[in-house]
Amino acid sequence: MSSTSQAFQAPRGTYDILPTTAGTVLAVREALAAPLRRAGYGYVETPVFEDVNLFSRGVGESTDIVTKEMFTIATRSEESQRLALRPEATASVLRATLEANLHRTGNLPVKLWYSGAQYRYERPQKGRYRQFWQVGAEAIGAEDPALDAELIILADDAYRSLGLRNFRILLNSLGDKQCRPVYREALQNYLRGLDLDEETLRRAEINPLRVLDDKRASVQDQLGGAPMLVDFLCEDCKAYHEQVRELLTAAGVAFEDDPKLVRGLDYYTRTTFEFVHDGLGAQSAVGGGGRYDGLSEMIGGPELPSVGWALGVDRTVLALEAEGITLDIPATTDVYAVPMGEQARRVLFGLVTGLRRAGVSADLLFGGRGVKAGFKAADRSGARFAVVAGERDLADGVVQLKDLTSGDQTPVALDALVTTLKEKLQ
Ligand code: HAM
């Protein structure tokens, strides 16, 4: 089919995951989640859409995510304008926790993990999509530096288990409700004296910390003398941060202090961190997270200090490519059956069914095609063995078992095929 006859394409900023890459994508999702399962995190799924106010209140009214990037859904009922595709999952997971009272009925912290698509109406480029996949973790209802350290270590373990090495951990503390307001005011006073455009000045009034994150040289050049949050941290925040740092160091996890790390969501307090990969260009953050001690109260819940992260699956796959790492993905089909003639077709159909029921992955040549097409299909399938049979073989009560790597072919009795293949595939 020529490309011009293709009427529809995947929407801008999205892409299809096809069988050729699916093995890697699924293995990455699994690898990012495995350390969480070993650390007592329980799996949760929440809807892909929520009340839009959950995100504006939770993620923050002044963030790019809420003001520019939310996919709001028009429905047929009066609920229109009230729903949005989730741009992230932390607010949703906390909403679900509060709704089900998990914080009252179970252990604290409530430890949860999730895996799912998120939606942001961003300008698409390599590594930045409008639908992307995160594996995330949230530990809800405990203030303990060991929990912050645990999460950072688990993410580090996850990336390392995939063989990734060229990433760095950036670490910062954003202070708490005691010390941040004092800093905020000092920063605002500084920013008001700069030569900034109107929008940036407005941002300085709503969320001055975000101005520090502005990538434009015209802004960055003026920030040299800006007051830094580290110099304003209260004693509690300083001590807390020091403990997180010590625990990471004791676990052998290297990190870089980055006093300018702000993150694009408003709910963070104290510990914030980002995993950046050096082979990815502009979209270098493969994961990020931090503590959000005030979020529960912001969405109408009780005080529940919490910490979490989300790791980007799409960017982790790109990071593997950048480091030239190919994961060892098992073939989807171990055995491919090639019948010669009608009678053989029926017998091999039965054999393939039996193999599958015995736990061996097997496929069969469909469509009534001949032997030549059959061997081509067997090669393409990635199978290690082909099972070939014609009338003469069946009359002798055997099939031919061909090792597709060595080319060796041996007859095997029909009733011994399952055990023979199971042995050879071990
Ligand atoms: P985030 O930094 O917005 O944090 O996203 C986490 C990761 O998701 C990023 O580091 C990146 O790898 C990936 N990501 C974000 N946007 C895109 C995009 N447009 N295309 C591809 N990948 C993307 C959060 O979402 C917070 N909820 C993390 C968190 C959990 N904080 C506390 N708990």
Short mmCIF file of all heavy atoms in Angstrom, two decimals, residues 170-174 183 187 190-191 208-217 219-231 241 256-264 272-274:
data_model
loop_
_atom_site.label_atom_id
_atom_site.label_comp_id
_atom_site.label_asym_id
_atom_site.label_seq_id
_atom_site.Cartn_x
_atom_site.Cartn_y
_atom_site.Cartn_z
N LEU A 170 19.91 14.56 40.09
CA LEU A 170 19.99 15.93 40.61
C LEU A 170 19.09 16.02 41.84
O LEU A 170 17.95 15.55 41.81
CB LEU A 170 19.53 16.93 39.55
CG LEU A 170 20.18 16.82 38.17
CD1 LEU A 170 19.62 17.88 37.24
CD2 LEU A 170 21.71 16.94 38.29
N LEU A 171 19.61 16.62 42.90
CA LEU A 171 18.88 16.63 44.17
C LEU A 171 18.79 18.05 44.73
O LEU A 171 19.74 18.81 44.65
CB LEU A 171 19.61 15.72 45.16
CG LEU A 171 18.99 15.48 46.53
CD1 LEU A 171 17.72 14.64 46.40
CD2 LEU A 171 19.99 14.79 47.46
N ASN A 172 17.62 18.36 45.29
CA ASN A 172 17.46 19.69 45.89
C ASN A 172 16.43 19.60 47.01
O ASN A 172 15.71 18.60 47.13
CB ASN A 172 16.98 20.68 44.82
CG ASN A 172 17.08 22.13 45.27
OD1 ASN A 172 17.82 22.44 46.22
ND2 ASN A 172 16.34 23.00 44.60
N SER A 173 16.37 20.63 47.84
CA SER A 173 15.27 20.75 48.80
C SER A 173 14.55 22.05 48.53
O SER A 173 15.18 23.09 48.34
CB SER A 173 15.79 20.75 50.25
OG SER A 173 14.71 21.08 51.12
N LEU A 174 13.22 21.98 48.47
CA LEU A 174 12.43 23.19 48.21
C LEU A 174 11.87 23.81 49.48
O LEU A 174 11.01 24.69 49.43
CB LEU A 174 11.31 22.88 47.22
CG LEU A 174 11.73 22.60 45.78
CD1 LEU A 174 10.52 22.33 44.90
CD2 LEU A 174 12.54 23.76 45.20
N TYR A 183 11.67 32.78 51.66
CA TYR A 183 12.51 32.79 50.46
C TYR A 183 11.76 33.38 49.28
O TYR A 183 12.28 34.19 48.52
CB TYR A 183 12.96 31.36 50.13
CG TYR A 183 13.61 31.28 48.77
CD1 TYR A 183 14.83 31.90 48.53
CD2 TYR A 183 12.99 30.61 47.73
CE1 TYR A 183 15.42 31.85 47.27
CE2 TYR A 183 13.57 30.55 46.46
CZ TYR A 183 14.78 31.17 46.24
OH TYR A 183 15.36 31.14 45.00
N LEU A 187 12.96 36.33 46.87
CA LEU A 187 13.16 36.14 45.43
C LEU A 187 12.30 37.12 44.64
O LEU A 187 12.76 37.72 43.66
CB LEU A 187 12.82 34.68 45.06
CG LEU A 187 13.00 34.29 43.59
CD1 LEU A 187 14.45 34.46 43.14
CD2 LEU A 187 12.55 32.84 43.35
N TYR A 190 13.77 40.48 44.50
CA TYR A 190 14.90 40.50 43.56
C TYR A 190 14.38 40.57 42.11
O TYR A 190 14.86 41.38 41.32
CB TYR A 190 15.76 39.25 43.77
CG TYR A 190 16.91 39.16 42.80
CD1 TYR A 190 18.11 39.84 43.02
CD2 TYR A 190 16.79 38.39 41.64
CE1 TYR A 190 19.16 39.75 42.12
CE2 TYR A 190 17.83 38.30 40.73
CZ TYR A 190 19.02 38.97 40.97
OH TYR A 190 20.05 38.89 40.08
N LEU A 191 13.39 39.73 41.80
CA LEU A 191 12.89 39.64 40.43
C LEU A 191 12.23 40.95 39.98
O LEU A 191 12.32 41.33 38.81
CB LEU A 191 11.90 38.47 40.28
CG LEU A 191 12.48 37.06 40.47
CD1 LEU A 191 11.37 36.01 40.44
CD2 LEU A 191 13.53 36.74 39.41
N PRO A 208 7.27 32.60 41.77
CA PRO A 208 8.61 33.12 41.43
C PRO A 208 9.66 32.02 41.23
O PRO A 208 10.58 32.19 40.44
CB PRO A 208 8.96 34.01 42.63
CG PRO A 208 8.05 33.60 43.73
CD PRO A 208 6.80 33.10 43.07
N LEU A 209 9.50 30.88 41.90
CA LEU A 209 10.51 29.83 41.75
C LEU A 209 10.60 29.33 40.31
O LEU A 209 11.67 28.92 39.85
CB LEU A 209 10.22 28.65 42.70
CG LEU A 209 10.85 28.77 44.08
CD1 LEU A 209 10.10 29.78 44.93
CD2 LEU A 209 10.87 27.41 44.78
N ARG A 210 9.46 29.38 39.61
CA ARG A 210 9.46 28.90 38.23
C ARG A 210 10.33 29.77 37.33
O ARG A 210 10.84 29.30 36.31
CB ARG A 210 8.03 28.86 37.67
CG ARG A 210 7.12 27.87 38.36
CD ARG A 210 7.33 26.45 37.85
NE ARG A 210 6.97 26.31 36.45
CZ ARG A 210 7.69 25.69 35.55
NH1 ARG A 210 8.83 25.15 35.88
NH2 ARG A 210 7.30 25.60 34.31
N VAL A 211 10.52 31.03 37.71
CA VAL A 211 11.34 31.93 36.89
C VAL A 211 12.79 31.43 36.88
O VAL A 211 13.49 31.54 35.88
CB VAL A 211 11.24 33.38 37.40
CG1 VAL A 211 12.10 34.32 36.56
CG2 VAL A 211 9.78 33.84 37.38
N LEU A 212 13.20 30.83 37.98
CA LEU A 212 14.58 30.30 38.04
C LEU A 212 14.80 29.23 36.98
O LEU A 212 15.91 28.97 36.53
CB LEU A 212 14.85 29.68 39.42
CG LEU A 212 14.84 30.61 40.62
CD1 LEU A 212 15.14 29.82 41.89
CD2 LEU A 212 15.88 31.71 40.44
N ASP A 213 13.70 28.59 36.59
CA ASP A 213 13.74 27.47 35.65
C ASP A 213 13.66 27.94 34.19
O ASP A 213 13.76 27.14 33.28
CB ASP A 213 12.52 26.59 35.96
CG ASP A 213 12.80 25.13 35.69
OD1 ASP A 213 13.99 24.77 35.63
OD2 ASP A 213 11.84 24.37 35.53
N ASP A 214 13.46 29.25 33.99
CA ASP A 214 13.32 29.80 32.64
C ASP A 214 14.60 29.52 31.84
O ASP A 214 15.70 29.83 32.28
CB ASP A 214 13.07 31.32 32.73
CG ASP A 214 12.44 31.87 31.46
OD1 ASP A 214 12.95 31.55 30.37
OD2 ASP A 214 11.44 32.61 31.56
N LYS A 215 14.42 28.93 30.65
CA LYS A 215 15.59 28.51 29.88
C LYS A 215 16.22 29.64 29.06
O LYS A 215 17.34 29.53 28.58
CB LYS A 215 15.21 27.36 28.93
CG LYS A 215 14.63 26.12 29.61
CD LYS A 215 15.71 25.25 30.26
CE LYS A 215 15.16 23.99 30.88
NZ LYS A 215 14.45 24.21 32.16
N ARG A 216 15.50 30.76 28.87
CA ARG A 216 15.99 31.82 27.98
C ARG A 216 17.23 32.51 28.57
O ARG A 216 17.26 32.84 29.76
CB ARG A 216 14.90 32.86 27.74
CG ARG A 216 13.75 32.31 26.88
CD ARG A 216 12.61 33.29 26.85
NE ARG A 216 12.04 33.50 28.18
CZ ARG A 216 11.07 34.36 28.44
NH1 ARG A 216 10.57 35.10 27.49
NH2 ARG A 216 10.61 34.50 29.68
N ALA A 217 18.21 32.74 27.70
CA ALA A 217 19.46 33.36 28.14
C ALA A 217 19.20 34.77 28.69
O ALA A 217 19.82 35.18 29.68
CB ALA A 217 20.45 33.43 26.98
N VAL A 219 16.85 35.79 30.41
CA VAL A 219 16.42 35.70 31.81
C VAL A 219 17.56 35.16 32.67
O VAL A 219 17.92 35.74 33.69
CB VAL A 219 15.16 34.80 31.93
CG1 VAL A 219 14.74 34.66 33.40
CG2 VAL A 219 14.01 35.38 31.10
N GLN A 220 18.16 34.06 32.20
CA GLN A 220 19.23 33.43 32.99
C GLN A 220 20.37 34.40 33.30
O GLN A 220 20.92 34.39 34.40
CB GLN A 220 19.77 32.19 32.25
CG GLN A 220 18.92 30.92 32.43
CD GLN A 220 18.73 30.52 33.89
OE1 GLN A 220 19.62 30.71 34.73
NE2 GLN A 220 17.55 30.00 34.23
N ASP A 221 20.69 35.25 32.30
CA ASP A 221 21.80 36.19 32.49
C ASP A 221 21.58 37.15 33.65
O ASP A 221 22.53 37.68 34.22
CB ASP A 221 22.01 37.02 31.20
CG ASP A 221 22.62 36.16 30.10
OD1 ASP A 221 23.04 35.03 30.42
OD2 ASP A 221 22.64 36.61 28.93
N GLN A 222 20.31 37.35 34.01
CA GLN A 222 20.02 38.30 35.09
C GLN A 222 19.88 37.63 36.45
O GLN A 222 19.66 38.29 37.46
CB GLN A 222 18.71 39.04 34.79
CG GLN A 222 18.74 39.84 33.50
CD GLN A 222 17.45 40.62 33.33
OE1 GLN A 222 17.16 41.53 34.11
NE2 GLN A 222 16.65 40.23 32.34
N LEU A 223 19.99 36.30 36.45
CA LEU A 223 19.69 35.58 37.69
C LEU A 223 20.92 35.29 38.55
O LEU A 223 20.82 34.65 39.60
CB LEU A 223 18.95 34.26 37.38
CG LEU A 223 17.54 34.43 36.80
CD1 LEU A 223 16.93 33.07 36.46
CD2 LEU A 223 16.62 35.19 37.75
N GLY A 224 22.08 35.72 38.06
CA GLY A 224 23.33 35.44 38.76
C GLY A 224 23.30 35.80 40.25
O GLY A 224 23.78 35.04 41.09
N GLY A 225 22.71 36.92 40.57
CA GLY A 225 22.72 37.38 41.97
C GLY A 225 21.46 37.02 42.74
O GLY A 225 21.25 37.53 43.85
N ALA A 226 20.61 36.17 42.14
CA ALA A 226 19.33 35.84 42.80
C ALA A 226 19.58 35.11 44.12
O ALA A 226 20.50 34.30 44.22
CB ALA A 226 18.47 34.98 41.88
N PRO A 227 18.76 35.39 45.15
CA PRO A 227 18.90 34.64 46.40
C PRO A 227 18.59 33.16 46.14
O PRO A 227 17.76 32.85 45.30
CB PRO A 227 17.85 35.27 47.32
CG PRO A 227 16.89 35.98 46.41
CD PRO A 227 17.67 36.36 45.18
N MET A 228 19.30 32.27 46.82
CA MET A 228 19.08 30.84 46.61
C MET A 228 18.38 30.24 47.81
O MET A 228 18.65 30.59 48.96
CB MET A 228 20.43 30.13 46.38
CG MET A 228 21.17 30.57 45.12
SD MET A 228 20.16 30.48 43.61
CE MET A 228 19.96 28.72 43.46
N LEU A 229 17.51 29.27 47.52
CA LEU A 229 16.70 28.65 48.57
C LEU A 229 17.55 27.97 49.65
O LEU A 229 17.20 28.00 50.83
CB LEU A 229 15.71 27.67 47.93
CG LEU A 229 14.69 26.97 48.82
CD1 LEU A 229 13.98 27.95 49.74
CD2 LEU A 229 13.67 26.25 47.97
N VAL A 230 18.68 27.37 49.22
CA VAL A 230 19.52 26.68 50.23
C VAL A 230 19.89 27.59 51.38
O VAL A 230 20.02 27.14 52.52
CB VAL A 230 20.85 26.11 49.66
CG1 VAL A 230 20.63 24.84 48.92
CG2 VAL A 230 21.59 27.12 48.84
N ASP A 231 20.05 28.88 51.07
CA ASP A 231 20.45 29.82 52.12
C ASP A 231 19.29 30.20 53.03
O ASP A 231 19.49 30.89 54.03
CB ASP A 231 21.04 31.09 51.48
CG ASP A 231 22.23 30.74 50.58
OD1 ASP A 231 23.02 29.87 50.97
OD2 ASP A 231 22.33 31.32 49.48
N HIS A 241 17.08 17.19 54.95
CA HIS A 241 17.79 17.03 53.68
C HIS A 241 19.14 16.34 53.90
O HIS A 241 19.54 15.47 53.10
CB HIS A 241 17.99 18.40 53.03
CG HIS A 241 18.29 18.31 51.57
ND1 HIS A 241 17.47 17.65 50.68
CD2 HIS A 241 19.34 18.77 50.83
CE1 HIS A 241 18.00 17.70 49.47
NE2 HIS A 241 19.13 18.37 49.53
N GLU A 256 24.01 14.72 42.54
CA GLU A 256 24.58 16.06 42.47
C GLU A 256 23.61 17.02 43.12
O GLU A 256 22.42 16.98 42.83
CB GLU A 256 24.76 16.47 41.00
CG GLU A 256 25.77 15.64 40.27
CD GLU A 256 25.78 15.91 38.75
OE1 GLU A 256 25.32 17.01 38.33
OE2 GLU A 256 26.22 15.03 38.02
N ASP A 257 24.12 17.87 44.00
CA ASP A 257 23.26 18.91 44.57
C ASP A 257 22.98 19.94 43.50
O ASP A 257 23.91 20.44 42.87
CB ASP A 257 23.96 19.57 45.76
CG ASP A 257 24.09 18.59 46.92
OD1 ASP A 257 23.07 18.02 47.32
OD2 ASP A 257 25.23 18.37 47.41
N ASP A 258 21.70 20.22 43.27
CA ASP A 258 21.35 21.20 42.24
C ASP A 258 20.38 22.22 42.85
O ASP A 258 19.17 22.04 42.81
CB ASP A 258 20.70 20.50 41.05
CG ASP A 258 20.36 21.47 39.93
OD1 ASP A 258 20.57 22.70 40.12
OD2 ASP A 258 19.88 21.02 38.87
N PRO A 259 20.94 23.30 43.41
CA PRO A 259 20.09 24.28 44.10
C PRO A 259 19.10 24.97 43.18
O PRO A 259 18.18 25.62 43.64
CB PRO A 259 21.10 25.29 44.68
CG PRO A 259 22.38 25.04 43.98
CD PRO A 259 22.37 23.63 43.47
N LYS A 260 19.26 24.79 41.84
CA LYS A 260 18.33 25.43 40.91
C LYS A 260 17.22 24.50 40.44
O LYS A 260 16.37 24.89 39.64
CB LYS A 260 19.10 25.95 39.70
CG LYS A 260 19.78 27.27 39.94
CD LYS A 260 20.21 27.85 38.62
CE LYS A 260 20.69 29.27 38.79
NZ LYS A 260 21.38 29.71 37.58
N LEU A 261 17.22 23.27 40.93
CA LEU A 261 16.20 22.32 40.48
C LEU A 261 14.85 22.69 41.08
O LEU A 261 14.66 22.64 42.30
CB LEU A 261 16.59 20.89 40.90
CG LEU A 261 15.61 19.81 40.50
CD1 LEU A 261 15.66 19.54 39.00
CD2 LEU A 261 15.86 18.53 41.26
N VAL A 262 13.90 23.08 40.24
CA VAL A 262 12.61 23.56 40.73
C VAL A 262 11.48 22.57 40.43
O VAL A 262 10.58 22.37 41.23
CB VAL A 262 12.27 24.93 40.09
CG1 VAL A 262 10.99 25.46 40.65
CG2 VAL A 262 13.40 25.91 40.34
N ARG A 263 11.51 21.93 39.23
CA ARG A 263 10.46 21.04 38.77
C ARG A 263 9.23 21.82 38.34
O ARG A 263 8.97 22.92 38.81
CB ARG A 263 10.08 19.98 39.82
CG ARG A 263 11.29 19.27 40.39
CD ARG A 263 11.53 17.88 39.85
NE ARG A 263 10.37 17.03 39.89
CZ ARG A 263 9.89 16.41 38.80
NH1 ARG A 263 10.46 16.58 37.63
NH2 ARG A 263 8.85 15.62 38.90
N GLY A 264 8.45 21.22 37.43
CA GLY A 264 7.35 21.96 36.81
C GLY A 264 6.00 21.81 37.47
O GLY A 264 4.99 22.19 36.90
N THR A 272 13.37 17.26 46.32
CA THR A 272 12.99 17.11 44.91
C THR A 272 14.19 16.55 44.17
O THR A 272 15.34 16.80 44.56
CB THR A 272 12.61 18.46 44.25
OG1 THR A 272 13.61 19.42 44.60
CG2 THR A 272 11.26 18.94 44.69
N PHE A 273 13.91 15.78 43.14
CA PHE A 273 15.02 15.15 42.41
C PHE A 273 14.61 14.89 40.97
O PHE A 273 13.43 14.83 40.64
CB PHE A 273 15.43 13.83 43.10
CG PHE A 273 14.29 12.90 43.37
CD1 PHE A 273 13.85 12.00 42.42
CD2 PHE A 273 13.63 12.95 44.60
CE1 PHE A 273 12.78 11.17 42.67
CE2 PHE A 273 12.55 12.11 44.86
CZ PHE A 273 12.13 11.21 43.90
N GLU A 274 15.61 14.76 40.14
CA GLU A 274 15.38 14.43 38.75
C GLU A 274 16.50 13.49 38.29
O GLU A 274 17.65 13.65 38.70
CB GLU A 274 15.38 15.72 37.91
CG GLU A 274 14.32 15.71 36.85
CD GLU A 274 13.92 17.12 36.41
OE1 GLU A 274 14.75 17.78 35.78
OE2 GLU A 274 12.80 17.54 36.71
#
